[in-house]
Amino acid sequence: MEHLDDGLPMAAEHLDEDRPVDLTAALARARSPQRPGHDTPAGTAVPAWPGPPRPIPGAGLADLDPGALLRLSLAASDGSGRLRPASSAGALHPVDTELVVGTGCSLPPGRYGYDPLRHRVHHLGRPPDNTPPGMTAELSVTARRTVSHYGHRAWPLLLLDTGHAAAALFLAARALGAGEPELRLDGGAGRPLAAVRIPPPGEVHRPDGPTPSQPPANQPKPEELLARRSAPPPLLGTPSEPALRAVLTAAAHAGGGDLRWCAAVGPPRPGLVELVPDGTALRRFAAGEARPSLAAWAAGQAWIADAGAVVLARGCPEDADAAHIRRTHLWAGFTVHLAHVTARRHGLTARPVGSWQQADLGAALGATPGQDWIVHGLALGTLHADEENTT
């Protein structure tokens, strides 16, 4: 264990039950105005997987292609390892991936560690008994990478990043015509934090767990997924009402029933808007300019006060237990990722915003304090600039 400042002990490696973390206390501290200390070493960008790295074979028409799936979801596209299809706070990419491979894949059945920098796998052993066909990506985190910069604010970001990685795998499977992905974002304790099972093409199966009820309009295209990047600020220009409604609809249909969604908009009628129950229009439920307050709550990022709009995921009360915290943040990351793709499809610039302090939106609106916190955000604009993949 390593200690940051004089507060909660921080696990340097994995966020799991082998290194107990009081998530309720950790989240409360992350939401406090306390600032992180100095940066610390981030450690290695990839686990020290045993054995030699192996290339991922190409797949036949009837087989699942893990290489293509990972290229569209988790693989780095530059030498530094920062640029990847899945967004990450500070481009620190704490999510590690183990692949459990069954039949029907170009990789032989087995368990593998994935190296996203070299796009190679390391064979770790035999698959568990009764491994289903296809590939299951098990997602865990090396917390030290994110703790190195964000300190005590890292814990919600680790969970959000894991949700983004799960969404990237989910969209890649749909883009490549694999079987319907199955998600495990239930907030269970231990490792992995989340898992995405991708069946081979043609498998017909209705997942037992929750899954997005409606994908973004039109199936995502591979080139569209590779083009995902978080736009650098400023994000200026007000989205049209149809575009903002489409982004909120994508968020509302993505799952994660613990969350509610709204958006802060500016002039000519500044306030907070949300979908009407049938999803056909937006209604304003609070008047007044909210974006400067959001900028102050989002680690003082002043540019948010001028963003065209800010989509907000809200919920996760201060008395939430660990499973609720994990589940809510995993789904928030997953959903914002899908909303980001929808925003891009409607010609908007977008940037996820994951670090929030004192962001008790319910209390600010006169409701009971401690019940309705901002969990994640997506800033939107209409003016395009060169893009980079940082959150």
Side-chain angles (χ1 to χ4, degrees):
M1 301 283 281
E2 65 182 9
H3 292 259
L4 300 180
D5 304 325
D6 59 352
L8 187 73
M10 292 291 181
E13 296 302 326
H14 294 288
L15 177 64
D16 64 28
E17 298 307 308
D18 293 331
R19 295 173 179 266
V21 173
D22 182 342
L23 276 182
T24 300
L27 181 59
R29 191 176 176 209
R31 287 170 167 175
S32 77
Q34 181 183 357
R35 301 179 66 87
H38 297 296
D39 284 4
T40 58
T44 60
V46 178
W49 301 119
R54 303 184 181 190
I56 305 173
L61 293 177
D63 290 332
L64 188 66
D65 189 341
L69 281 164
L70 294 164
R71 280 284 186 202
L72 293 181
S73 57
L74 303 180
S77 59
D78 72 322
S80 73
R82 291 175 61 87
L83 293 178
R84 310 193 201 187
S87 298
S88 171
L92 292 164
H93 298 287
V95 180
D96 300 322
T97 307
E98 291 190 24
L99 309 175
V100 180
V101 178
T103 58
C105 290
S106 63
L107 273 172
R111 178 178 285 274
Y112 300 86
Y114 177 57
D115 180 343
L117 304 187
R118 293 185 289 179
H119 192 52
R120 294 289 187 268
V121 294
H122 295 251
H123 186 249
L124 305 179
R126 296 172 55 84
D129 293 339
N130 302 318
T131 294
M135 179 185 82
T136 299
E138 296 183 345
L139 306 176
S140 300
V141 295
T142 297
R144 177 179 178 179
R145 295 179 204 142
T146 301
V147 170
S148 70
H149 179 66
Y150 291 97
H152 65 275
R153 293 179 179 173
W155 297 102
L157 299 175
L158 292 163
L159 294 164
L160 295 174
D161 277 9
T162 305
H164 277 276
L169 287 158
F170 176 89
L171 290 175
R174 283 194 160 167
L176 294 174
E180 184 65 12
E182 300 175 36
L183 301 171
R184 204 213 82 184
L185 305 176
D186 57 10
R191 297 180 64 194
L193 278 173
V196 183
R197 186 207 161 212
I198 303 171
E203 178 176 312
V204 178
H205 175 67
R206 182 174 295 278
D208 295 330
T211 192
S213 58
Q214 179 177 315
N218 305 317
Q219 287 296 92
K221 299 177 181 178
E223 58 270 21
E224 179 182 20
L225 301 185
L226 287 174
R228 284 168 298 186
R229 293 291 182 264
S230 296
L235 274 66
L236 305 175
T238 303
S240 67
E241 194 272 347
L244 184 56
R245 188 174 72 246
V247 175
L248 282 170
T249 298
H253 287 174
D258 296 319
L259 296 167
R260 293 185 295 147
W261 297 87
C262 65
V265 297
R269 297 186 68 210
L272 296 174
V273 299
E274 63 185 3
L275 289 170
V276 299
D278 66 3
T280 58
L282 298 177
R283 73 171 189 92
R284 190 169 67 149
F285 69 93
E289 179 61 87
R291 294 172 301 165
S293 293
L294 297 179
W297 288 345
Q301 298 181 77
W303 62 270
I304 293 174
D306 298 315
V310 187
V311 172
L312 301 170
R314 33 199 289 238
C316 200
E318 63 185 17
D319 59 353
D321 62 19
H324 189 142
I325 293 169
R326 283 189 291 261
R327 181 176 66 248
T328 300
H329 285 78
L330 290 170
W331 275 106
F334 181 93
T335 303
V336 163
H337 195 96
L338 268 60
H340 190 165
V341 172
T342 299
R344 299 266 313 184
R345 183 172 285 136
H346 284 78
L348 303 178
T349 57
R351 185 178 183 85
V353 182
S355 187
W356 296 91
Q357 290 79 51
Q358 298 180 290
D360 188 344
L361 185 62
L365 297 175
T368 303
Q371 298 303 301
D372 196 18
W373 292 80
I374 296 174
V375 177
H376 203 4
L378 183 68
L380 303 173
T382 62
L383 303 180
H384 290 260
D386 292 336
E387 297 179 340
E388 62 181 352
N389 190 22
T390 59
T391 306

